[in-house]
Structure formats: structure tokens, C-alpha cells
Amino acid sequence: MKRDSRLSGVLHVLLHMAEHRAPMTSEQLAKAMQTHPVVIRRILGGLRDGGFVHSEKGHGGGWTIARDLTAITMRDVYDAIGRPSLMAMGNRTEAPGCLVEQAVNAALDTSFQEAEALLLARFGDVTLAQLAADFHARMAARSLSPTTQEHIHG
Amino acid sequence: MKRDSRLSGVLHVLLHMAEHRAPMTSEQLAKAMQTHPVVIRRILGGLRDGGFVHSEKGHGGGWTIARDLTAITMRDVYDAIGRPSLMAMGNRTEAPGCLVEQAVNAALDTSFQEAEALLLARFGDVTLAQLAADFHARMAARSLSPTTQEHIHG
DNA sequence: TTTCTCGCACTATTTGAAGTTACATGAAAC
DNA sequence: GTTTCATGTAACTTCAAATAGTGCGAGAAA
């Protein structure tokens, strides 16, 4: 089963934006993410509606982060992209008449719900500021002159 | 993201087999699962290799459960079908050069690993015998004459 | 008024699971 | 032994969902 990488992608984009002071265009972000500008606009669209980022048209326009990084958790981002399902598995039939299947579904659902709850709680614990700090730590570890290092792909 | 229903499907098949004393053919099971016999053979193939079910060719052949239901957990079944990924989300790039992405991956991985561990532990707690008991309880709840009830689909 | 940028509807492509066919293998019935 | 029933497995074919891409409209700055 193929895994959804949207959450990973959005977080990545947000941190790149955070490193930039000026607005970044969809095209710049697309280059960093090795994808298409429209894809960037799509995933950032949800975040704009949630008030986490701001977009501006025309010359000098682009995307900026609208809140302090300490005020955005991974959970917020997850919610903003539409709460895609976290579990890769589901039930064969959602409302089965077969009692055997009902028993199976009940057992699986219990486990999945527990795991989802744990995951969401963990997401709520991590802010973008923490991720940015981790990034800076990695930067410092890689080189003693981080300002001359390239953190954009390629 | 579409969810994998193989685990749900296999458990369903196994419980139907358990209700039957005699071997069940792929065709019978396929009818109960509303699918194709070859699909049944495919999903049961892994369980056969794991020693959980036995298959016999020719007249009177078919599939039987090879162990006591108390000795098979959902975790065993999960392992037998090849441990498909449990989480619907993954990282955009597995071994990124981008330090931003490394920081994101690290944070997500931690959460996902915790959730997976919890899920697997829960799977290990549930035996097929428990699922069968739950099924019988549902059967009793639906009707006072369970032996005349049809538990097969349709 | 030209250029740059996002917004959005629409189309195209890719991908992976599920379904299907075909045929070989083995076991019991007759 | 030959027929029938059943699994084993390797293709091949759909089919649906996710993603990528195109085209054009709208708004803002140069």
C-alpha cells in the first residue's frame, strides 16, 4: 500500500518558508520539493484557509508563514490538510450484515482507534519551532560554518 | 488514501473456516467473501507457509485451520500476510540530503514508530478464539435460535 | 499595459490492488 | 487408469484512486 506523503511534504515546505524571510513563490518551493508549482498551491491552500500561511499575488508576492512557529503544531498542520486517514488498513466492509465480519471489525477498530489517538497526541506535542530548532542543530553538526551551507536541495 | 483490507479479509476467512468442521474449498470461501477463488488462494497462501492453515488437493480437499484458535493471534496473521505497512503516511524521501527534511522525518518517524508498536501489541493480545467467542455472542444476541440462523452472507 | 503571481477547474498519467484466465499438479472416486 | 475435483501459480486485464500537469482567469505591482 502506497503511503501518503502530504504531511511530510507540507511540514517540509513550511520549514523552508520559515528559513526565508521574504515571501517564497510556488515555483521556488516547487523546486525545493522537486514537484510542480500547482502541487504546492494545492497543499498550501488548506493551510491558508486555516490561517497558518498567507499568500499574495503579483510582483513580490508568494507565500509567508502567518503565525509564530511556536504556535503551530504538527497536529494543526495535519488538521489543515484535511485529516487524511492515518491507518493504512481498514475494514473490508464498513457496515456488514455478516456477524463474523462484525466481530472482526470491532476488534480491529478498537486497536486502530487507540493507535490513532496516540499518534494525534504526539503530533500535538511537536511545534514547528521544535522542528526548526532540530534543523539548526543538524546544520551546526554538519558544518562549523552553517551560513555558507546550502540547505535547499540540489 | 485507500486502505488495505487484507488483514480484515483474512481474519474473516479464518473465522468462517473455524465455524465449519469440514475442509472448505476456495470456491466456498470466495462465495462467503464475495470475491474470486484465486484471491482466496492467494491470501491463504501466506498462512499456509506460516503453518496456520492446511490445504488439501483433490476430492474432499480444501482448507482447514491447522492450529487451535487460542494459539493464533491477530499479530500472527498480520505477520503471515507479510507485515504490510500499518501507517497510511510515510516520508516524502527516505534518505534525504536536505537537512530540513531530515528533521521532519525524524519527528514523524518517532510518532509513527510508537503508534505501530502499540498497534502490534494490541494485535498480539487478541486470539482467533476471542473473535470466535465474540461472533457467537453476536449470534446469540440476534436470535434465540442461533442454529437456524445463517451466518454466511446473502 | 505588461509582468508576475496565485486560484481553480479540468485533463492526463501513473500506480497498485483486485479480478480473471489459463494451465499444471496432485489426490480421490469410479 | 481415467475422470473429476481441488489447489498452485503465473500471466494478463480491469478498475479506481492518487498525483501530476495544463490552461486560463484574477489581482497586484512595476
Side-chain angles (χ1 to χ4, degrees):
Chain A
M1 191 78 22
K2 192 171 184 183
R3 281 140 106 195
D4 185 344
S5 61
R6 275 176 297 170
L7 181 57
S8 165
V10 178
L11 291 172
H12 189 180
V13 168
L14 289 173
L15 289 186
H16 273 290
M17 283 169 59
E19 292 300 311
H20 239 251
R21 289 296 179 87
M24 290 187 77
T25 67
S26 308
E27 196 156 3
Q28 289 176 302
L29 290 168
K31 192 160 287 179
M33 303 275 300
Q34 309 183 87
T35 184
H36 199 278
V38 173
V39 175
I40 298 291
R41 293 191 197 123
R42 264 204 285 263
I43 53 182
L44 288 185
L47 293 225
R48 182 190 51 233
D49 299 342
F52 298 104
V53 300
H54 175 70
S55 65
E56 197 72 43
K57 290 180 177 175
H59 273 280
W63 300 89
T64 45
I65 293 199
R67 292 195 197 166
D68 193 280
L69 292 191
T70 59
I72 307 178
T73 66
M74 298 206 306
R75 172 68 191 269
D76 292 327
V77 176
Y78 168 74
D79 287 345
I81 63 176
R83 298 182 187 153
S85 76
L86 295 165
M87 299 294 128
M89 296 187 169
N91 297 324
R92 246 171 36 87
T93 311
E94 223 41 65
C98 175
L99 293 177
V100 169
E101 185 136 28
Q102 283 180 22
V104 170
N105 283 0
L108 288 175
D109 286 348
T110 301
S111 305
F112 286 137
Q113 278 163 20
E114 278 187 57
E116 286 203 1
L118 174 64
L119 206 44
L120 289 178
R122 288 284 172 273
F123 283 177
D125 287 340
V126 182
T127 66
L128 292 195
Q130 288 174 259
L131 294 181
D134 185 17
F135 159 62
H136 288 124
R138 285 167 195 272
M139 193 106 124
R142 174 183 279 189
S143 160
L144 294 179
S145 58
T147 53
T148 66
Q149 286 285 313
E150 189 58 77
H151 68 271
I152 308 284
H153 304 261
Chain B
M1 190 76 24
K2 192 173 184 181
R3 280 140 114 198
D4 185 344
S5 62
R6 276 177 296 170
L7 181 57
S8 165
V10 177
L11 290 171
H12 189 178
V13 169
L14 288 174
L15 289 187
H16 272 291
M17 283 169 59
E19 293 301 310
H20 238 252
R21 289 297 180 84
M24 289 187 78
T25 67
S26 308
E27 195 156 3
Q28 289 176 303
L29 290 168
K31 191 158 289 179
M33 304 276 299
Q34 308 181 87
T35 182
H36 199 278
V38 173
V39 175
I40 298 290
R41 292 188 200 126
R42 265 205 285 261
I43 54 181
L44 288 185
L47 293 224
R48 183 190 51 232
D49 299 342
F52 298 103
V53 300
H54 175 70
S55 65
E56 197 74 42
K57 290 179 176 175
H59 274 280
W63 300 89
T64 44
I65 294 200
R67 292 196 197 166
D68 193 280
L69 291 191
T70 59
I72 307 178
T73 66
M74 297 206 306
R75 171 68 191 268
D76 292 327
V77 176
Y78 169 75
D79 287 345
I81 63 176
R83 297 181 187 154
S85 74
L86 295 166
M87 299 293 128
M89 298 188 166
N91 296 323
R92 247 171 34 87
T93 311
E94 223 39 68
C98 175
L99 292 177
V100 169
E101 184 137 25
Q102 282 180 22
V104 170
N105 283 0
L108 288 175
D109 285 348
T110 300
S111 304
F112 286 136
Q113 278 163 20
E114 277 186 58
E116 283 206 8
L118 174 63
L119 205 45
L120 289 177
R122 288 285 172 273
F123 283 177
D125 287 340
V126 182
T127 66
L128 292 196
Q130 287 172 261
L131 294 181
D134 184 17
F135 159 61
H136 287 122
R138 287 167 193 271
M139 194 105 126
R142 172 182 282 190
S143 161
L144 293 179
S145 56
T147 51
T148 65
Q149 285 287 312
E150 189 57 77
H151 68 272
I152 307 284
H153 303 259

